[in-house]
Every structure is written in structure tokens, then in C-alpha cells.
Amino acid sequence: MNEQAAGSHKDKTALITGITGQDGSYLAELLLAKGYAAYLGNLAAKRDWGYAPDYVRAMWLMLQADEPDDYVVATGEAHSVEEFCIAAFGAADMPIEFFGEGLERRGLDRDGKVRVKVDPRYFRPTEVDFLLGDSAKAREKLGWKSEVTFDELVRRMVAHDMTLIGAQAGSVANTKG
């Protein structure tokens, strides 16, 4: 189904202000089980997405150091919000592909159903387009490094969220809202 045809049907929408672990089960229920679309802001914003237990391990290592010091704890990889969406929907066995530019950018599932839309209300006035940490000092002095990859982080988040709503990958992939 092409983008124009997919955009012409009436779809339910869920206004989501951000993508966080806290919102995950809510997103899973709305997007997967109920077939809503998510409205997001800057899909091109890149972030250094990391796994909290990796960061807690870094904090523990900091506390074991002989001398206090300042450290940056980060993965050293930047991924866009769009990449996060692609990975998350893929992990739910509901791959999406993006079409269009700017405010007309849409994420469509394999049936052509719009799952992600851009809404200017969710652009942050003080948005930083690119956030990337350099944890070289933590690696050198503490022996710390991020162990969970971006793809594994997203997979774990989706698996957890789908468990919370009682779904399994593939079981909601063909949901019609």
C-alpha cells in the first residue's frame, strides 16, 4: 500500500510526548493492542541510548575508586528517535518503514497502516539534535564499558512492555484499530 492510500484512512491516535521506559507499556498497549498511531516530535534527534543496569554498574565502580572523580557514562553510539521506532516495531514483529519528509514523515507498517506521525507540538523549543557521550575516562580508570547494545536494549524494552500487556511478538502485529 502506498503512503497516500495509507494516510487517507481514519486512524486512532495516541499523543505521546516522549519515548522512555516509563511510557513503554502504555505505548505497547496503544500502538500494538489498540492499533493507535503515535505522534512524536523530532524523529531525527540522536541520542546516546543506554541500559540503566550498565550505568548502575558504572556508579558502583565509581564508589570503589580510591579517589573521587567526575566521569561520563555513555555508550558512545548515537541513534535517532526514528531508528528507535524502527527497532522497537521490528522487535514486536511489526516492522515499519518511514516515508516522506519533515512534518509529513510517516512510519507505516507492512499493511500500510500509519503507526508513527510527526506533530510539531512535540518539538522541544530547546531541543539538542545530537547527544553523544564519551566514556573513555570511565573505560580507562574504572574498566567500565556499556555491555548492552542499542538493539538489545530496544528488544528488552519491547519484550518487557509486551509482557506487561500480555502480548507476544507477532500476536498483535496485524491489529486493526
Side-chain angles (χ1 to χ4, degrees):
M1 181 177 250
N2 69 31
E3 182 188 8
Q4 280 187 324
S8 66
H9 73 280
K10 291 184 179 181
D11 59 334
K12 298 175 184 174
T13 58
L15 300 178
I16 307 298
T17 58
I19 295 178
T20 68
Q22 181 178 340
D23 296 331
S25 60
Y26 180 69
L27 282 169
E29 181 178 1
L30 291 174
L31 298 176
L32 302 177
K34 294 184 178 178
Y36 287 28
Y39 278 68
L40 299 173
N42 185 0
L43 296 176
K46 290 197 170 193
R47 299 290 180 259
D48 191 328
W49 306 82
Y51 186 55
D54 278 349
Y55 295 167
V56 171
R57 187 170 38 81
M59 289 183 265
W60 183 84
L61 289 168
M62 288 177 209
L63 292 171
Q64 307 314 304
D66 293 332
E67 297 290 324
D69 207 344
D70 294 324
Y71 297 94
V72 172
V73 180
T75 69
E77 292 181 18
H79 296 274
S80 69
V81 173
E82 183 172 307
E83 288 175 86
F84 184 94
C85 290
I86 290 168
F89 278 92
D93 194 27
M94 198 169 80
I96 62 172
E97 189 173 352
F98 280 85
F99 298 93
E101 298 297 325
L103 296 177
E104 299 304 314
R105 193 117 176 106
R106 304 278 188 267
L108 306 179
D109 67 17
R110 62 181 138 225
D111 295 325
K113 182 173 178 67
V114 178
R115 295 297 184 154
V116 178
K117 295 181 182 180
V118 175
D119 187 323
R121 292 180 292 175
Y122 300 109
F123 280 84
R124 296 175 178 157
T126 58
E127 179 84 70
V128 177
D129 290 332
F130 187 82
L131 294 174
L132 179 66
D134 179 0
S135 60
K137 183 176 174 181
R139 284 192 309 274
E140 291 170 18
K141 289 192 167 190
L142 303 174
W144 178 88
K145 69 175 186 167
S146 177
E147 293 180 357
V148 175
T149 66
F150 172 76
D151 288 329
E152 178 63 15
L153 168 69
V154 176
R155 188 200 64 74
R156 288 182 186 191
M157 290 174 70
V158 169
H160 174 75
D161 296 341
M162 292 179 76
T163 299
L164 291 176
I165 66 164
Q168 295 178 0
S171 68
V172 291
N174 295 315
T175 302
K176 303 293 181 202

